[in-house]
Amino acid sequence: MARGKLRIYLGAAPGVGKTYAMLSEAHRRVERGTDCVVAFVEHHGRPRTEVMLHGLEQIQRRELEYRDTVFTEMDVDAVLERKPAVVLVDELAHTNVPGSRNTKRWQDVEELLDAGITVISTVNIQHLESLGDVVESITGVRQKETVPDEVVRRADQIELVDMSPHALRRRMAHGNIYKPDKVDASLSNYFRLGNLTALRELALLWVADRVDEYLQEYRSEHRVSKIWGSRERIVVGLTGGPEGRTLIRRAARLAEKGAGGEVLAVYIARSDGLTSGSPKELAVQRTLVEELGGTFHHVLGEDIPSALLEFARGVNATQIVVGTSRRKAWQYIFGPGVGATVAVDSGPDLDVHIVTHEEAAKGRGLPVARGARLERSRVIWGWLAGVVGPALLTLLLTHVDVHLGLANDVLLFLTLTVAAALLGGLLPALASAAFGSVLLNWFFTPPVDRLTIADPKNIVALVVFLLVAVSVASVVDLAARRTHQAARLRAESEILSFLAGSVLRGETTLDALLERVRETFAMDGVALLERESETDPWTCTGSVGDVSPPARPEDADVDMPVGDHMALALSGRVLPAEDRRVLAAFAAQAAVVLDRQRLQSQAEHARKLAEGNRIRTALLAAVSHDLRTPLAGIKASVTSLRSDDVEWSDEDQAELLAGIEEGADRLDHLIGNLLDMSRVQTGTVRPLIREIDLDEVVPMALVGVPEDSVVLDIPEDLPMVAVDPGLLERSVANIVENAVKYNPDGEPVLVSASALGDRVEIRVADRGPGVPDEAKERIFEPFQRYGDAPRGTGVGLGLAVARGFAEENGGTLDAEDTPGGGMTMVLTVPTAAGHLPAPPDLPAAVTS
């Protein structure tokens, strides 16, 4: 029996229309005469989805009792007995009620597929098992119901049901997804704009990867070697030379011209390892291509053009970018070059771009250094083995009454030649071969004690010995040096990798970097010297170690210039020349770190000056207007009361006294905000963090507003928070006062709280005019009031003080749009350690 087909409608979040699309597909199939039934579809009370069930045959669900409650699940046996051609099964990741046939619904679907029934199902991206941690970090909600990725990947068809986050939130606000009492909670928690955008990106990327898999499978099954340009994939062929950076940037520009372009840089190394590019330059090029959004690949191949074309066709590339050959004119006698060969063999389906560069026709340059010189002791032992060894061997063979034969004598001398190559390198080995051939001719080849040879066969034997000795010595010496070079380069790459990692880990202070240099090269002291010009004296900008820094680079044991006016000076010992390559990387990084520190210091100083000037200007404006206004009112009321010309009634006196009191309160409030803002600006706020319940703080913050102007919704099961109660109270009070000020008369401000992961959110929502997106951050700056004619009084410090105190508590304060109009202030504070937050009150469809 053939296995049934599986079709899945994949969505980024609940409510995008997966079930509706599945039911629409069912109606189309029924109209075409297909036997299609509904095994399980959950409409969640959505009228438009419920209407789509009309006209479709539904199989009766199975009822199960669990913990004194009756649940309904899909009846797998009934579906198998009915055996339709197509069956609809909603919510693939659903967990069945205990007592069901299978634990998970996807297992039920597997049974139906094995029975030859085609299944159409739905699933959200957050229910894929591999994305559980990612979704939790985005939404703060851990998905308990998941489906293995492999189950979804095995689907014969996956159709993405997409909807923009803004459109989905509008559907939510209009009540098309959840009931009205769940809308506000959903919009402010799971269905935030950022959450939906991130989930949508996850869904699009996952489906795009699956499309690539489908394409690769099809090309493999049908043996399609021709390139299909479904999107621009540009392969950059690198040689390890300096022209690679030009090629990478050119490829990136080509990729930008087409939607979804991708850059793949590939370096092809010969498997024999006899030729290789600069490891330092390749590391730079790898970083560059990754910064430009591409990928770097390292491939082994005997024939570079063939390997490059094979790689390009394997990744379904559409273009290849290679550089103009660095060969000189006479070098073309050895072949046409990689670029020309690739262009000829690429075929009509693969475009080849040969890019000119500054290194063109300059020659390949010297080969990579074969390694550092061997140690002095090894060279001495090599010469001893190559010269003294043959002499001792000759003495031994001539005084022992054993005739081994010329062939065995040659092998013994050849052994000493190989030993000389292993110990001392090529020169001792060549000397050993020459000296050994002379000894063999004089002592062991008839006629002995003469350099003549009587038998022609012995001439051949000696010539072969000399050739074999030289060849073996060359190969052994090359292998030994390659091993030494590989170890050396590996050590260098580890050091450079650690240097790059230290920068990524944030070890960017100059002292930390200099200390790393001292430890790496085992020096006594390291200093970075700098001077303004050629005639100015050197000054030390940073140093580490036990010795005093040298006054000039010439006084140090090792100096590494960095530009014209900076040098890295090391004291302790003289470094070998090969260590200077790594030292140059450290020196360049030290200069970058020093420049970064200075730029940061200058930027911070400039920011403080600008902020101070702005605050001083705004403060002068506030003093000249906002502070003088209540003072003028108080002055007028006091003058009126002290006047002897007018007989004030008790009501008039009471009104004037109330005006004085109101003006004094306004002054107190304004001055209090000014003082609070100065504390925030100068960093003198010292929060006293302690654990406290939110319902002990928030009600105290509402004392200064009318009782009927605020609706408070603080759940009792919220976890405790770790904050400074006084600072939190001031933050909430300023936020609520601002919301009441702009809220329409008769409309209360809603103050609610909820727990999300390791934080608690306080949301203050008003129905005022709101604030445009471009002004949402500006309203938190000191002395900022949105609009030309603000309501009420104040100098525009309330929200700035509220955000400053929120950050001192380790939290955040941001502004969002209130669904239906208005603005919502979201104040986030951390929960106390050891207090697990209660799960959020989300609709069931989010987690099922």
Side-chain angles (χ1 to χ4, degrees), residues 25 39 55 69 119 244 259 264 311 324 330 337 345 402 462 483 510 585 591 611 683-684 694 696 797 821:
E25 175 65 19
T69 304
V119 178
L264 300 91
F311 175 84
T324 305
W330 63 269
D345 298 341
V402 177
L462 289 178
T483 302
L510 182 60
E611 182 70 13
T684 57
L694 209 59
E696 297 181 26
L797 287 175

Side-chain angles (χ1 to χ4, degrees), residues 734-796:
N734 284 356
I735 297 170
V736 173
E737 288 176 6
N738 185 76
V740 171
K741 181 193 307 180
Y742 288 94
N743 207 42
D745 295 335
E747 285 280 348
V749 172
L750 176 61
V751 180
S752 60
S754 59
L756 288 175
D758 59 350
R759 61 191 188 275
V760 172
E761 285 189 350
I762 304 171
R763 306 180 69 85
V764 181
D766 64 60
R767 294 292 180 179
V771 175
D773 291 339
E774 62 271 13
K776 281 189 171 63
E777 281 300 313
R778 195 164 64 249
I779 61 176
F780 292 104
E781 297 178 5
F783 304 102
Q784 293 293 324
R785 293 176 292 187
Y786 180 70
D788 294 332
R791 296 177 54 186
T793 59
V795 293

Side-chain angles (χ1 to χ4, degrees), residues 690-711:
R690 64 184 182 89
E691 298 180 5
I692 192 171
D693 285 321
L694 209 59
D695 54 9
E696 297 181 26
V697 179
V698 176
M700 298 295 295
L702 308 181
V703 175
V705 298
E707 294 183 1
D708 57 349
S709 62
V710 176
V711 174

Side-chain angles (χ1 to χ4, degrees), residues 511-696:
D511 289 344
L513 184 62
L514 296 181
E515 181 63 27
R516 185 66 60 195
V517 174
R518 192 183 68 83
E519 293 177 356
T520 301
F521 296 99
M523 305 299 287
D524 295 333
V526 178
L528 185 63
L529 305 179
E530 186 182 23
R531 62 180 176 180
E532 295 293 333
S533 65
E534 297 291 342
T535 58
D536 292 330
W538 291 92
T539 59
C540 180
T541 58
S543 65
V544 295
D546 297 333
V547 298
S548 59
R552 300 178 305 165
E554 296 81 1
D555 299 336
D557 295 319
V558 180
D559 69 285
M560 174 58 64
V562 187
D564 297 332
H565 306 298
M566 189 177 295
L568 192 65
L570 290 78
S571 303
R573 64 187 179 94
V574 178
L575 289 179
E578 56 268 19
D579 283 346
R580 296 181 67 86
R581 290 184 300 176
V582 180
L583 183 60
F586 276 103
Q589 185 62 34
V592 171
V593 169
L594 180 61
D595 290 341
R596 186 187 299 120
Q597 288 183 353
R598 289 175 174 173
L599 289 174
Q600 289 176 348
S601 177
Q602 293 173 3
E604 181 65 19
H605 182 65
R607 187 193 65 80
K608 289 182 178 180
L609 288 177
E611 182 70 13
N613 289 333
R614 188 178 65 83
I615 290 178
R616 278 194 294 270
T617 302
L619 182 58
L620 289 174
V623 171
S624 64
H625 180 270
D626 296 277
L627 294 181
R628 292 182 65 181
T629 298
L631 280 174
I634 294 173
K635 176 68 173 177
S637 298
V638 172
T639 303
S640 299
L641 287 174
R642 295 188 62 186
S643 175
D644 298 330
D645 300 335
V646 181
E647 187 69 28
W648 301 103
S649 64
D650 294 340
E651 293 79 3
D652 293 335
Q653 291 183 5
E655 185 176 351
L656 291 172
L657 290 173
I660 294 173
E661 184 178 10
E662 181 183 355
D665 290 340
R666 287 170 57 188
L667 275 177
D668 179 68
H669 181 73
L670 294 175
I671 294 173
N673 275 337
L674 286 172
L675 293 175
D676 288 341
M677 195 65 236
S678 68
R679 293 169 61 201
V680 172
Q681 292 289 340
T682 57
T684 57
V685 179
R686 295 292 183 267
L688 300 177
I689 305 298
R690 64 184 182 89
E691 298 180 5
I692 192 171
D693 285 321
L694 209 59
D695 54 9
E696 297 181 26

Side-chain angles (χ1 to χ4, degrees), residues 497-508:
S497 175
F498 189 84
L499 174 61
S502 65
V503 175
L504 294 176
R505 288 191 299 271
E507 298 178 7
T508 55

Side-chain angles (χ1 to χ4, degrees), residues 185-419:
S186 299
L187 287 175
S188 61
N189 292 291
Y190 194 86
F191 286 84
R192 293 179 174 183
L193 191 62
N195 291 0
L196 297 178
T197 303
L199 292 174
R200 187 189 190 198
E201 183 182 18
L202 281 178
L204 291 171
L205 291 175
W206 196 92
V207 172
D209 289 341
R210 187 65 183 114
V211 171
D212 274 346
E213 290 177 11
Y214 279 134
L215 183 60
Q216 294 298 337
E217 290 173 5
Y218 181 87
R219 284 166 53 84
S220 177
E221 291 173 359
H222 294 78
R223 298 181 179 179
V224 178
S225 58
K226 184 178 179 181
I227 292 174
W228 288 357
S230 55
R231 62 171 172 168
E232 292 294 338
R233 282 192 176 92
I234 303 174
V235 171
V236 185
L238 302 178
T239 64
E243 77 280 359
R245 308 182 199 182
T246 303
L247 303 184
I248 292 170
R249 294 189 180 98
R250 180 61 181 272
R253 291 196 297 271
L254 290 174
E256 290 175 356
K257 296 179 180 179
E262 183 180 0
V263 176
L264 300 91
V266 56
Y267 170 69
I268 299 175
R270 296 186 184 275
S271 58
D272 55 15
L274 296 181
T275 58
S276 61
S278 167
K280 180 180 178 180
E281 183 62 32
L282 286 174
V284 172
Q285 294 173 14
R286 175 194 289 270
T287 303
L288 176 61
V289 72
E290 290 175 351
E291 287 177 351
L292 294 174
T295 56
F296 185 91
H297 305 267
H298 194 289
V299 177
L300 293 178
E302 300 295 337
D303 184 64
I304 292 180
S306 299
L308 182 60
L309 288 171
E310 182 180 355
F311 175 84
R313 293 192 173 98
V315 298
N316 198 30
T318 56
Q319 302 179 53
I320 293 180
V321 175
V322 293
T324 305
S325 178
R326 285 184 287 153
R327 293 181 175 188
K328 293 184 179 294
W330 63 269
Q331 292 178 315
Y332 281 97
I333 63 175
F334 300 108
V338 174
T341 305
V342 169
V344 171
D345 298 341
S346 61
D349 55 347
L350 191 57
D351 297 334
V352 178
H353 301 267
I354 300 180
V355 180
T356 59
H357 50 83
E358 295 180 353
E359 302 297 323
K362 289 186 177 180
R364 295 182 178 274
L366 295 175
V368 179
R370 298 178 63 189
R373 293 178 297 175
L374 297 176
E375 297 177 1
R376 187 179 184 87
S377 60
R378 286 192 57 179
V379 174
I380 293 175
W381 280 107
W383 282 103
L384 290 176
V387 178
V388 179
L392 294 177
L393 179 62
T394 301
L395 183 63
L396 177 65
L397 294 177
T398 54
H399 288 76
V400 176
D401 192 17
V402 177
H403 298 286
L404 300 178
L406 182 61
N408 291 327
D409 294 337
V410 167
L411 290 177
L412 291 174
F413 278 89
L414 183 61
T415 302
L416 292 176
T417 301
V418 172

